[in-house]
Amino acid sequence: MGIYTKNAQKILGHTLRNFNHETGVYQVVTPYNDHRGGGGNHSHEVHAFARTCGCGKWQNIKIPCSHAIKVLQGLHFNATSYIDPCYSLDNAIQTYAHQFEVIKSESLWKDVRGPRWVPDPQLLRAKGRPVKSRIRNDCGFR
Ligand SMILES: [Zn+2]
């Protein structure tokens, strides 16, 4: 299931509050939910014109989050048209439009210019199973 479809399903319990219609700023409050991580009942500031949300997802992945969809539908906009064109089928086709070449022998590869990445030996894991830091008790809870 696509990200947009999942987000669109979440808007049912969301509450939309007008904050500033002129600047396109709205508040969306998610319902309290004891069964979800975080518990819900969060307030998000959606900037419809700037295409940003306080949760950070809209501006980062360029697909309206559930809060943005709530606002856009509340304004009677087609929320799907706010999905960035980079996700369009045309773009996907263009990505693979060029001709692929057969990979040459490694001896013919050019040296890479720029910084050389070296692994940090401090971060290398030792052989064997990692040591558990969890302290077990009788009930199985921490
Ligand atoms: Zn959001």
Side-chain angles (χ1 to χ4, degrees):
M1 188 187 303
I3 293 169
Y4 178 86
T5 312
K6 269 190 184 173
N7 291 346
Q9 287 175 348
K10 290 186 205 163
I11 69 165
L12 280 173
H14 289 10
T15 307
L16 171 62
R17 294 188 185 137
N18 289 334
F19 188 77
N20 190 333
H21 197 64
E22 260 178 40
T23 56
V25 178
Y26 298 88
Q27 181 190 26
V28 173
V29 180
T30 61
Y32 177 75
N33 187 341
D34 213 10
H35 305 290
R36 276 186 50 212
N41 195 29
H42 297 296
S43 168
H44 298 280
E45 190 176 312
V46 178
H47 292 246
F49 302 153
R51 301 185 181 202
T52 63
C53 178
C55 77
K57 291 176 187 166
W58 194 9
Q59 56 270 39
N60 284 333
I61 62 169
K62 312 283 184 202
I63 296 173
C65 59
S66 61
H67 323 114
I69 294 170
K70 183 72 181 181
V71 170
L72 294 167
Q73 288 189 356
L75 297 171
H76 305 289
F77 292 157
N78 178 4
T80 56
S81 67
Y82 285 79
I83 298 171
D84 195 274
C86 74
Y87 293 105
S88 72
L89 182 61
D90 280 349
N91 267 293
I93 290 168
Q94 277 182 24
T95 302
Y96 298 100
H98 67 278
Q99 291 291 317
F100 286 90
E101 292 176 22
V102 174
I103 297 171
K104 296 176 181 125
S105 299
E106 198 172 332
S107 59
L108 300 171
W109 293 3
K110 290 177 187 167
D111 280 334
V112 179
R113 288 172 178 231
R116 201 162 189 91
W117 300 102
V118 180
D120 183 352
Q122 301 269 307
L123 297 174
L124 289 176
R125 272 212 248 158
K127 275 187 182 175
R129 192 186 291 237
V131 180
K132 284 182 183 169
S133 58
R134 180 179 156 188
I135 300 165
R136 288 190 171 272
N137 59 20
D138 292 340
C139 3
F141 297 108
R142 275 190 229 203

